[in-house]
Amino acid sequence: MQTDLIEDIKVSLDQTLGQLRGPAVVDVLKVQQAIIRAVHQFMFERGLVQLMPVMLSPITDPLNHGVVDAAISYAGGRWSLTKSMIFHKQLALLNPELESLYIVSPNVRLEFADRAFTGRHLFEFTQVDFEFWDKDGAFVRAFMEDLLNYVFWAVNRDLPETVAKYRPEGLPAFGPLEVFRTQELEAQYGPDYEHLKSKEAAAPFWLLNHRREFYDKEDPANPGTYLNYDLIWPEGFGEGLSGAERENEYHQILKRMDETGASKEAFTHYLEVARQQLLPLSAGAGFGVERMARYICRIKDINDVTPFCRRPGMPALF
Ligand code: AMP
Ligand code: MG
């Protein structure tokens, strides 16, 4: 059974203050700041409009794994804390003046305690999310490659001494990243394919075709194939970004909701938008800022170097 508590772990004030004062904490904060600054610059130059975070909504990402529910009652309704802004990205694109947008938003995902020591899970983190009207996955992947190269170039420029501590060779520039399909790697490496390939890789790579949430588009020409993509960090750091072309056809959404077990009742109004054929054709992605900083600084466990520990299943004092 999945649990939301790590047994036998007490958090002391001394331990908490020790973490707050940890030397690497400031390095990671600076790297995150440099990432976000570069992201804003890059998005501005490419014409993406920034959407402010929505932190409470009647709907949020159902995710493709279980988490503890984070919801409150208010104004006669039930509001969820944002797990990701996927639906708000799609809905914002209903505005004909908007062709592309991005968001830097907190995500609250009360992960179960089995993710406490993965090194890459927090129960609260920051996601950079972006979405394009009328573009496909290939476009989004090329965009992300450009963004990655720009961000790494800017972090090298802004924080040469900090980067040198963790990567004496500096942050690399990448050409087009290698692309693999999950099924291909699974056949080669077995069930732990993502981790094994990430450990072996020297550069980030794309992993295509995961079976997951109902909002990822199924390839109409190849049923059972999903037009989604993850960017995997090398050196064993694992998943860094997920994205997809979005399902915008009503009957297909209903079919995928049945397959994934999503609640139609919870999505009544979203489904009505889809039924009226208003949902835009779009594609996008989102990446975790802490995970990018973790890769840059070669941090084993991101929870050890955040000022306020957000380890799944573990209490915190602040
Ligand atoms: P997802 O759409 O669930 O793949 O989330 C998008 C991105 O957010 C992931 O690729 C990660 O970079 C990041 N992310 C997801 N969950 C967490 C978490 N619990 N802690 C830190 N980062 C996360
Ligand atoms: Mg993902």
Side-chain angles (χ1 to χ4, degrees):
M1 199 184 78
Q2 280 176 315
T3 161
D4 60 355
L5 179 71
I6 301 180
E7 303 293 339
D8 299 329
I9 291 195
K10 300 270 178 295
V11 182
S12 71
L13 184 59
D14 275 356
Q15 196 182 339
T16 302
L17 294 178
Q19 172 144 0
L20 261 170
R21 291 176 172 144
V25 166
V26 178
D27 286 343
V28 172
L29 288 175
K30 285 183 183 170
V31 167
Q32 289 175 171
Q33 180 185 20
I35 292 169
I36 288 175
R37 175 177 132 120
V39 162
H40 284 305
Q41 184 64 28
F42 184 83
M43 298 295 191
F44 179 74
E45 284 174 15
R46 293 289 182 104
L48 285 81
V49 174
Q50 185 180 7
L51 199 68
M52 293 302 148
V54 170
M55 282 313 294
L56 278 172
S57 168
I59 61 166
T60 191
D61 195 335
L63 301 177
N64 66 345
H65 66 281
V67 294
V68 177
D69 190 35
I72 61 162
S73 295
Y74 177 65
R78 188 179 157 79
W79 304 72
S80 288
L81 272 103
T82 294
K83 293 178 186 141
S84 92
M85 281 188 54
I86 173 64
F87 301 119
H88 295 83
K89 292 198 296 185
Q90 284 186 292
L91 292 165
L93 286 178
L94 285 175
N95 188 316
E97 301 293 314
L98 212 50
E99 289 189 0
S100 58
L101 61 86
Y102 80 104
I103 312 155
V104 180
S105 75
N107 286 189
V108 175
R109 300 185 184 179
L110 305 182
E111 309 276 5
F112 291 118
D114 60 345
R115 294 190 163 189
F117 295 102
T118 60
R120 61 198 168 98
H121 286 96
L122 301 147
F123 60 74
E124 175 180 20
F125 64 97
T126 298
Q127 189 172 176
V128 173
D129 237 315
F130 45 93
E131 195 77 14
F132 294 89
W133 173 75
D134 201 25
K135 297 286 189 226
D136 63 9
F139 176 92
V140 173
R141 291 194 294 276
F143 176 88
M144 182 61 199
E145 290 171 4
D146 288 352
L147 185 145
L148 187 59
N149 278 319
Y150 179 79
V151 169
F152 278 19
W153 171 82
V155 174
N156 278 330
R157 175 200 61 191
D158 294 344
L159 298 172
E161 285 161 23
T162 310
V163 171
K165 274 199 218 173
Y166 303 99
R167 294 189 177 269
E169 70 283 15
L171 290 168
F174 303 109
L177 303 180
E178 272 194 283
V179 181
F180 301 95
R181 297 175 73 79
T182 49
Q183 294 69 14
E184 171 197 341
L185 290 192
E186 196 170 5
Q188 203 179 334
Y189 293 87
D192 205 17
Y193 60 95
E194 187 176 304
H195 178 61
L196 294 174
K197 183 71 190 169
S198 166
K199 260 173 88 173
E200 187 183 287
F205 60 91
W206 292 108
L207 206 45
L208 269 45
N209 190 22
H210 308 256
R211 192 179 173 84
R212 55 189 183 202
E213 301 91 344
F214 69 81
Y215 53 76
D216 286 2
K217 201 176 204 37
E218 187 170 7
D219 187 350
N222 293 297
T225 298
Y226 302 91
L227 300 173
N228 57 29
Y229 32 86
D230 279 8
L231 181 134
I232 311 296
W233 294 117
E235 303 172 15
F237 287 103
E239 185 204 316
L241 164 145
S242 289
E245 294 180 24
R246 311 304 176 187
E247 191 54 73
N248 68 337
E249 282 178 35
Y250 179 61
H251 291 290
Q252 185 65 18
I253 293 175
L254 292 179
K255 183 196 107 168
R256 293 287 298 130
M257 284 180 125
D258 284 339
E259 288 171 2
T260 59
S263 154
K264 292 184 189 121
E265 211 188 330
F267 287 95
T268 307
H269 297 103
Y270 177 81
L271 285 171
E272 179 56 20
V273 175
R275 197 190 63 78
Q276 292 184 27
Q277 300 186 342
L278 294 173
L279 272 188
L281 200 61
S282 75
F287 67 85
V289 175
E290 295 83 353
R291 288 201 187 171
M292 187 181 275
R294 174 176 179 249
Y295 166 71
I296 291 175
C297 297
R298 292 194 161 121
I299 303 279
K300 201 163 175 290
D301 192 330
I302 192 68
N303 270 297
D304 292 338
V305 290
T306 48
F308 304 105
C309 185
R310 288 294 181 264
R311 190 180 292 287
M314 189 153 127
L317 303 190
F318 303 116

